[in-house]
Amino acid sequence: MDKLGMFEILIRQQTDALRTFIRAIAFDKDLVDDVFQDTIVAAWKQIDAFDRTRPIGPWLRGIARNCLLGASRQKRRAIVSDEVVTNHVEKNMSILDGDAGEALNERTEAMRTCMERLGEEEREAVDLCYKREMRANRAAEVAHVSHDAMRKRLQRARASLYECLQRRGILEAGE
Amino acid sequence: MTTENIQTDVMVDALLAGETVLDAETQLDPKRAAGLLVVHALLLRQEAPGDALAMERSLAGALTRIRAEPSRTAGRSVVLRRVMPLAAAILLVASVALWWNISAEHRAVAEVTSTHTKQGPRRYQLVVQRTPAAVPATLTGTYDVNGYGQFVVRLPLPTGDENNRVVYGRGETDWWIITPAGVLERGPANDIILKWVRAVAGDAPLPSIDETLSRLEEDYDVSIEVLPDGGDRYHAVLTAAIPGAATAFELTINRESRRVRSVRWVWDPPVGSIAAVVSVAGNLIERRPFPDGWFEPEAHMSASEDELALPVSPPDSSPALRPASR
């Protein structure tokens, strides 16, 4: 297998986590796609400089952060610019990534369990806005509630999931 | 940055992203803000149906860029990834041939998920050219698309009977199809399309978009021609021996807007033993707002042919295929 083939295998193991990281910081779908690609291309160019004794996930995310900043400046697209917040996102991703190489998929099985514990209204909000990709105003119509109520349900759903995942050690622990 | 700034940051981004994301939470500390952002990303990853496909498409685009690096056109950065968001449109057109001529080797794609969000509402004319022996030799349909993921395809059956069409598409949430018998089927995923295609095609394979993109990279020699009118034209020539595969395709886009002007797939020899498709082309013919509800099936259960009429002279006809330059 050639070098690029090996690189592809390596990258494929990391795409899920890398994309999750980028998406946590950049909300614009196009920006996520652009930065994801830019990161992989940049990683390929720098692969010879990668320290093989280190995990590749944080290295890729470091490249992604630079790409995010560059794309944000160049294309005037908004990202979460607070360094403290992005550092915490990175910490969370390191936990999700797993030091022992545990796959993101396995670690996020807990997400399903936490989802099952959501209230009916919150589950519906997640279903409409994430699974069925509706905007909040459309979701509100479908659920026959006000726009504000739908947004509150989403907020509560995310907060519940956050706390549930935190309790399970999947996300960074609180104070 | 202060907590207030974080809230502003999050809120602005939420607005940009179309409201399905984070609201300005009250009293967010950085750790909690980060946690909620990750939860949001995980929800998108886990729940959004098209996300895995989008990720695979991005990865394929990145690998294509890497492979294209040494053969860049002189003095110009070739951005192959631009092709990727447009792949849906291309593949949709390619899927036309599926309706009649699916063979196990014919690896075109009927699954279409999205086109670029910035391209806006537009109509393409679809032209299926068959061998002269087929009657009629040319079939014409339409492909209407609007923003992210909404589209409607209207195709005549191989008999050319204008009153006996198949219409399928994706509206705000659902996939749907109106079969030639006039029966409406709809569902939340692409299962319905899959079912219908399989009903027509027996056990024909229905690979996903990413599989097809990977296939393109593996089996086609892709080159880019820079047009003087602000367009980019992509040529791909089949280099592998794959029975039934399109032997060439050509895609022309506006460089800046990424809007597809035209696309054409060619089979040489023609594909299919009955209808024998020689080429399938899509040409941008109109940009217009569609009526409310156009991408929902109800609008097409009763739409008259007058409402769907095509311009007599398409402004952007399909360019002739030329040999690809390596």
Side-chain angles (χ1 to χ4, degrees):
Chain A
M1 183 180 292
D2 64 2
K3 189 177 171 184
L4 182 56
M6 291 173 70
F7 176 75
E8 182 177 346
I9 291 172
L10 196 62
I11 289 295
R12 279 190 180 277
Q13 291 169 350
Q14 293 293 327
T15 49
D16 224 359
L18 176 62
R19 198 169 165 89
T20 301
F21 173 76
I22 295 169
R23 202 164 26 206
I25 296 174
F27 295 150
D28 181 327
K29 279 182 182 175
D30 293 340
L31 184 59
V32 171
D33 282 341
D34 286 351
V35 169
F36 181 76
Q37 288 197 10
D38 289 346
T39 302
I40 292 171
V41 173
W44 168 250
K45 289 177 179 169
Q46 299 169 35
I47 191 68
D48 290 335
F50 170 59
D51 179 355
R52 294 179 191 188
T53 63
R54 315 277 299 175
I56 193 167
W59 180 69
L60 282 174
R61 291 194 290 273
I63 294 173
R65 280 176 80 157
N66 288 334
C67 291
L68 276 162
L69 288 171
S72 167
R73 276 195 296 265
Q74 189 184 354
K75 300 178 181 177
R76 296 178 180 274
R77 286 190 279 185
I79 61 169
V80 175
S81 54
D82 185 336
E83 200 176 340
V84 180
V85 174
T86 48
N87 285 341
H88 281 294
V89 171
E90 167 56 30
K91 276 186 189 168
N92 280 308
M93 289 310 302
S94 293
I95 299 169
L96 280 164
D97 236 358
D99 291 336
E102 209 169 0
L104 181 65
N105 270 335
E106 293 169 33
R107 300 299 293 260
T108 51
E109 259 310 301
M111 183 86 163
R112 295 187 200 282
T113 309
C114 291
M115 287 277 285
E116 287 165 8
R117 296 184 178 184
L118 289 179
E120 195 176 326
E121 290 179 345
E122 285 76 31
R123 260 209 308 272
E124 184 189 32
V126 168
D127 183 64
L128 293 173
C129 293
Y130 285 95
K131 198 167 191 173
R132 300 178 67 179
E133 298 177 310
M134 289 183 191
R135 291 186 174 204
N137 54 357
R138 173 69 180 138
E141 283 173 23
V142 171
H144 304 294
V145 297
S146 69
H147 188 195
D148 281 348
M150 179 53 66
R151 293 175 77 95
K152 285 287 175 197
R153 287 180 184 183
L154 278 174
Q155 277 185 12
R156 283 201 301 270
R158 284 188 291 258
S160 297
L161 290 170
Y162 168 60
E163 283 148 20
C164 178
L165 291 171
Q166 213 179 28
R167 280 196 302 274
R168 290 166 170 269
I170 303 297
L171 293 180
E172 191 183 8
E175 295 301 330
Chain B
M1 182 179 275
T2 65
T3 300
E4 186 182 337
N5 285 337
I6 295 166
Q7 290 173 24
T8 305
D9 209 350
V10 172
M11 185 163 62
V12 167
D13 285 346
L15 289 171
L16 286 172
E19 294 191 296
T20 61
V21 294
L22 294 173
D23 297 312
E25 312 267 353
T26 54
Q27 302 300 315
L28 279 180
D29 69 81
K31 188 184 289 183
R32 185 177 175 83
L36 289 167
L37 288 167
V38 172
V39 166
H40 164 66
L42 288 172
L43 277 169
L44 281 173
R45 168 183 170 272
Q46 191 153 311
E47 299 297 317
D51 192 63
L53 207 59
M55 185 167 72
E56 192 60 36
R57 196 169 54 197
S58 286
L59 178 60
L63 294 170
T64 302
R65 283 172 63 191
I66 290 171
R67 290 190 184 104
E69 196 79 9
S71 58
R72 282 185 170 181
T73 306
R76 183 174 131 55
S77 172
V78 174
V79 188
L80 265 178
R81 66 185 154 152
R82 283 179 181 163
V83 178
M84 300 312 166
L86 304 170
I90 306 166
L91 295 169
L92 176 67
V93 175
S95 74
V96 174
L98 277 172
W99 298 105
W100 318 290
N101 287 296
I102 303 176
S103 65
E105 296 79 16
H106 181 199
R107 308 281 284 183
V109 173
E111 179 175 296
V112 177
T113 55
S114 69
T115 56
H116 199 278
T117 51
K118 292 172 184 169
Q119 293 191 19
R122 59 209 184 280
R123 169 171 283 188
Y124 292 85
Q125 182 187 50
L126 303 179
V127 179
V128 180
Q129 193 67 47
R130 302 190 289 179
T131 56
V135 179
T138 303
L139 295 167
T140 305
T142 55
Y143 167 43
D144 297 338
V145 62
N146 182 38
Y148 183 76
Q150 293 187 321
F151 69 88
V152 175
V153 176
R154 296 178 65 88
L155 296 170
L157 294 183
T159 57
D161 180 359
E162 290 296 315
N163 296 318
N164 199 4
R165 288 171 169 256
V166 61
V167 187
Y168 67 95
R170 186 184 180 194
E172 190 167 354
T173 56
D174 295 341
W175 290 83
W176 53 267
I177 187 164
I178 302 168
T179 69
V183 176
L184 168 64
E185 293 183 44
R186 64 196 307 171
N190 62 346
D191 298 356
I192 201 153
I193 303 291
L194 191 72
K195 186 178 96 180
W196 200 81
V197 169
R198 283 191 169 151
V200 171
D203 59 352
L206 188 67
S208 65
I209 258 180
D210 53 282
E211 285 171 345
T212 301
L213 289 174
S214 298
R215 175 170 292 272
L216 272 181
E217 292 165 19
E218 288 167 9
D219 303 328
Y220 288 78
D221 179 18
V222 182
S223 61
I224 302 174
E225 179 186 353
V226 179
L227 302 178
D229 62 352
D232 283 341
R233 182 167 293 157
Y234 295 82
H235 303 273
V237 176
L238 185 68
T239 54
I242 305 173
T247 43
F249 88 85
E250 186 176 88
L251 166 74
T252 306
I253 64 169
N254 284 335
R255 193 173 305 131
E256 292 306 318
S257 70
R258 303 182 184 185
R259 186 172 288 114
V260 175
R261 294 179 188 170
S262 65
V263 60
R264 190 173 181 219
W265 292 75
V266 172
W267 284 265
D268 184 15
V271 67
S273 56
I274 302 171
V277 172
V278 174
S279 67
V280 178
N283 297 301
L284 179 65
I285 52 173
E286 278 185 84
R287 290 171 57 194
R288 64 170 184 182
F290 293 101
D292 288 344
W294 186 251
F295 296 92
E296 304 301 331
E298 289 77 11
H300 300 270
M301 294 294 285
S302 56
S304 69
E305 290 306 314
D306 287 344
E307 290 175 284
L308 302 160
L310 296 168
V312 176
S313 302
D316 188 2
S317 59
S318 177
L321 272 175
R322 277 168 281 182
S325 56
R326 294 190 179 220

